[in-house]
């Protein structure tokens, strides 16, 4: 017995129901939808569309979506999401394109979509309100609690993925687990746990006298110690390894230009991490430390403040990325002293600020690969998007700045589930009014944030 009459009747009833939405372009050419005389092709097409509908539990509609691979806008876009991931994207002529029965509609008419943003350098358990010695008034677990607030602020800023490159007491690992379990709001967190380096270096505890015996439990002073630290940190939840190749700005008794890990030590750390499938980020301000880290095979150079022409040439030839935090000085110079930051730290911050920004300009002009990293925690969390405008001011186009925080960042992470809005990836998106490829500053104040197909912020 043929099922064609039953299918035709079902199709007629469905077409009469106002809750079913179908695109005119999906109709079979030449067929007339008169409710009684449908072709077998119509019936088969309808069945296929019903199956498609059942696979999607949310449907996002917006004026356009940025394809960060090509820089083109996809107009009149619809994105079908199932279990948090994109299963279909339709775009083109105005009009509805997919059936939406039993599907949650996220209507972003009048808005432009960009893939969820990625900040490659944050410290979620740090708070810039407490500089110098002022943080000593609090319990150790004060910072563990504050990071929950910071994670929510970061997500609300449109950063749906972050790389946390240094935390105390494995705070970031616990945070990631709580977010992944759905217990608290926050971005997807790639965790480094402790960052580490040489005894007395930037990643050590440097503010206390000998009687305190205050030191990092993960200092590494030889290639073999470096290998062991990689193994220990990976064991307890590190998903990326963060080392300090040079001195720093906000440590005591170190200078940014000082190299503090030998190239042989960094090479051993990189070899060990890569053996375990982990990437390595190196805090490196000074030229000699940057160049040694690049020769050692480090995956991302953090800060790169004093990069020289040799470093730019090495970076361009390598598979490494530069992550240059060129916004945060605006905050630290304005607010640091009030927050208790010591004058010596502010001096170092002043001395490298414009040098770093000019280095950014030169490295970008030379074609060095860049990712978006802000050092959030040195400035207030949730202001991550303010760096876009600074990157444009120092030589990037708005599209290039956006790509640094989406496509480039996902590649540097080695992940194919974030950073680009395409089938199979997480449905992480931000929506703004206007065109951020013309004005990247729009991304400093994102009104709508979607993570895994769910609206987590809507401030329209």
């Amino acid at each position: 017995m043929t099922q064609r009459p039953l299918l035709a009747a079902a199709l007629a009833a469905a077409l009469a129901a106002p809750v079913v939405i179908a695109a005119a372009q999906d109709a079979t050419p030449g067929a007339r939808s008169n409710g009684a005389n449908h072709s077998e092709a119509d019936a088969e097409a309808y069945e296929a569309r019903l199956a498609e509908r059942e696979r999607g539990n949310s449907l996002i509609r917006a004026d356009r979506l940025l394809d960060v691979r090509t820089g083109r806008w996809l107009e009149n876009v619809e994105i079908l999401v199932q279990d948090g991931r994109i299963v279909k994207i339709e775009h083109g002529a105005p009009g509805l394109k997919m059936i939406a029965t039993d599907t949650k509609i996220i209507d972003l008419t009048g808005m432009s979509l960009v893939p969820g943003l990625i900040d490659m350098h944050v410290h979620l358990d740090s708070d810039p309100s407490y500089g110098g010695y002022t943080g000593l008034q609090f319990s150790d677990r004060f910072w563990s609690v504050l990071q929950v607030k910071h994670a929510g602020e970061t997500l609300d800023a449109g950063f749906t993925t972050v790389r946390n490159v240094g935390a105390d007491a494995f705070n970031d690992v616990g945070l990631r687990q709580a977010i992944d379990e759905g217990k608290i709001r926050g971005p997807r967190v790639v965790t480094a746990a402790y960052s580490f380096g040489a005894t007395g270096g930037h990643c050590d505890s440097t503010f206390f006298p000998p009687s305190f015996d205050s030191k990092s439990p993960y200092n590494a002073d030889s290639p073999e110690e470096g290998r062991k630290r990689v193994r220990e940190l990976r064991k307890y939840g590190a998903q990326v390894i963060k080392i300090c190749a040079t001195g720093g700005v906000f440590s005591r008794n170190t200078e940014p230009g000082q190299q503090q890990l030998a190239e042989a030590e960094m090479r051993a750390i990189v070899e060990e991490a890569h053996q375990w499938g982990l990437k390595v980020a190196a805090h490196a301000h000074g030229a000699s430390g940057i160049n040694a880290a690049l020769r050692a095979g480090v995956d991302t150079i953090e800060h790169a403040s004093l990069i020289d022409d040799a470093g730019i040439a090495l970076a361009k030839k390598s598979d490494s990325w530069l992550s240059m935090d060129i916004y945060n000085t605006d905050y630290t110079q304005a607010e640091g002293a009030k927050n208790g930051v010591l004058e010596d730290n502010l001096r170092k911050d002043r001395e490298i600020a414009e040098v770093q920004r000019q280095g950014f300009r030169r490295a970008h002009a030379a074609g060095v690969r860049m990712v978006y990293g802000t050092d959030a925690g040195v400035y207030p969390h949730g202001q991550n998007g303010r760096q876009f405008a600074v990157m444009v001011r120092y030589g990037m186009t708005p599209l290039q700045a956006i790509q640094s925080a989406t496509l480039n960042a996902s590649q540097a992470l080695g992940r194919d589930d974030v950073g680009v809005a395409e089938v199979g990836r997480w449905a992480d998106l931000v929506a703004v009014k206007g065109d951020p490829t013309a004005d990247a500053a729009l991304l400093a104040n994102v009104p709508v944030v979607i993570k895994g197909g769910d609206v987590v912020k809507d401030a329209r």
Side-chain angles (χ1 to χ4, degrees), residues 302-417:
E302 309 302 307
H303 311 299
S305 303
L306 305 176
I307 194 167
D308 59 13
D309 290 343
I312 290 173
L314 276 171
K316 189 173 180 181
K317 288 191 297 186
S318 75
D319 293 327
S320 301
W321 302 79
L322 298 188
S323 173
M324 300 181 71
D325 51 327
I326 60 172
Y327 158 68
N328 57 46
T329 296
D330 290 355
Y331 175 84
T332 53
Q333 287 300 307
E335 304 295 331
K338 289 181 275 186
N339 293 339
V341 178
L342 304 183
E343 171 53 31
D344 189 52
N345 301 114
L346 293 173
R347 168 193 61 83
K348 292 187 284 185
D349 186 45
R350 285 192 299 271
E351 288 176 354
I352 68 170
E354 187 60 23
V355 177
Q356 182 193 34
R357 290 174 172 183
Q358 293 302 331
F360 174 92
R361 185 192 297 278
R362 288 170 29 246
H364 171 64
V368 175
R369 302 194 302 174
M370 300 276 198
V371 295
Y372 193 96
T374 69
D375 212 357
V378 169
Y379 68 89
H381 298 278
Q383 295 181 8
N384 311 60
R386 295 188 180 188
Q387 183 166 286
F388 285 108
V390 183
M391 296 171 89
V392 172
R393 191 190 321 154
Y394 283 87
M396 281 190 171
T397 66
L399 175 62
Q400 288 168 334
I402 293 168
Q403 288 172 324
S404 76
T406 52
L407 175 64
N408 294 6
S410 68
Q411 291 175 349
L413 288 172
R415 292 183 59 161
D416 60 4
D417 60 345

Side-chain angles (χ1 to χ4, degrees), residues 115-125 146-165 171-191 239 374 376 381-382 384 405 413 415 417-419 426-430 449-452 454 456-457:
L117 304 170
I118 302 171
D119 193 332
M120 293 286 282
H121 192 127
V122 304
H123 299 280
L124 289 169
D125 66 345
L146 280 189
Q147 69 177 346
V148 177
K149 173 177 178 286
H150 299 159
E153 291 168 339
T154 302
L155 181 62
D156 286 343
F159 288 81
T160 53
T161 301
V162 298
R163 189 178 61 162
N164 201 88
V165 284
N171 281 334
D172 58 341
V173 176
L175 179 71
R176 166 172 55 82
Q177 292 169 339
I179 292 171
D180 290 350
E181 285 295 303
K183 301 300 184 182
I184 60 175
R185 299 175 69 250
R188 309 182 195 283
V189 184
V190 179
T191 51
Q239 298 172 316
T374 69
H381 298 278
N384 311 60
L413 288 172
R415 292 183 59 161
D417 60 345
V418 295
W426 291 113
D428 296 346
L429 300 157
V430 299
V449 182
I450 297 170
K451 180 187 173 189
D454 293 323
V456 295
K457 175 190 177 183

Side-chain angles (χ1 to χ4, degrees), residues 4-17 20 32-33 35-47 49-50 99:
R4 193 178 304 169
L6 295 176
L7 291 170
L11 179 59
L15 287 172
V20 174
R32 297 179 61 84
S33 298
N37 199 11
H38 299 280
S39 70
E40 184 173 1
D42 284 335
E44 290 171 351
Y46 178 69
E47 281 193 319
R49 289 162 63 86
L50 284 180
I99 287 180

Side-chain angles (χ1 to χ4, degrees), residues 204-376:
D204 197 3
S205 176
T206 59
F207 278 83
F208 303 100
S211 58
F212 280 63
D213 194 27
S214 179
K215 56 191 173 186
S216 167
Y218 292 96
N219 290 331
D221 296 314
S222 70
E224 288 311 306
E225 285 191 352
R227 289 183 184 276
K228 185 174 182 180
R229 298 306 179 226
V230 171
R231 296 172 184 178
E232 291 171 331
L233 291 166
R234 188 211 63 84
K235 176 182 178 181
Y236 294 115
Q239 298 172 316
V240 61
I241 298 299
K242 163 73 177 303
I243 60 174
C244 287
T246 74
V249 171
F250 293 104
S251 50
R252 186 173 173 274
N253 193 28
T254 77
E255 289 295 324
Q258 295 169 337
Q259 184 173 337
Q260 296 181 343
L261 282 177
E263 185 174 332
E265 292 171 327
M266 289 190 272
R267 190 177 303 279
I269 290 165
V270 169
E271 288 175 354
E272 189 68 29
H274 287 179
Q275 176 180 290
W276 289 95
L278 303 180
K279 294 184 180 295
V280 179
H283 159 108
H285 286 288
S288 64
I290 292 168
N291 298 350
L294 288 167
R295 289 191 297 267
V298 161
D299 298 287
T300 64
I301 301 293
E302 309 302 307
H303 311 299
S305 303
L306 305 176
I307 194 167
D308 59 13
D309 290 343
I312 290 173
L314 276 171
K316 189 173 180 181
K317 288 191 297 186
S318 75
D319 293 327
S320 301
W321 302 79
L322 298 188
S323 173
M324 300 181 71
D325 51 327
I326 60 172
Y327 158 68
N328 57 46
T329 296
D330 290 355
Y331 175 84
T332 53
Q333 287 300 307
E335 304 295 331
K338 289 181 275 186
N339 293 339
V341 178
L342 304 183
E343 171 53 31
D344 189 52
N345 301 114
L346 293 173
R347 168 193 61 83
K348 292 187 284 185
D349 186 45
R350 285 192 299 271
E351 288 176 354
I352 68 170
E354 187 60 23
V355 177
Q356 182 193 34
R357 290 174 172 183
Q358 293 302 331
F360 174 92
R361 185 192 297 278
R362 288 170 29 246
H364 171 64
V368 175
R369 302 194 302 174
M370 300 276 198
V371 295
Y372 193 96
T374 69
D375 212 357

Side-chain angles (χ1 to χ4, degrees), residues 55-58 79-88 188 415-418 422-428 452-453:
R55 289 197 304 271
N57 48 27
S58 63
I79 303 170
L80 188 65
V81 180
Q82 174 67 38
D83 298 328
R85 293 183 183 259
I86 297 170
V87 295
K88 189 173 183 180
R188 309 182 195 283
R415 292 183 59 161
D416 60 4
D417 60 345
V418 295
E422 62 188 16
V423 172
R425 300 201 183 213
W426 291 113
D428 296 346

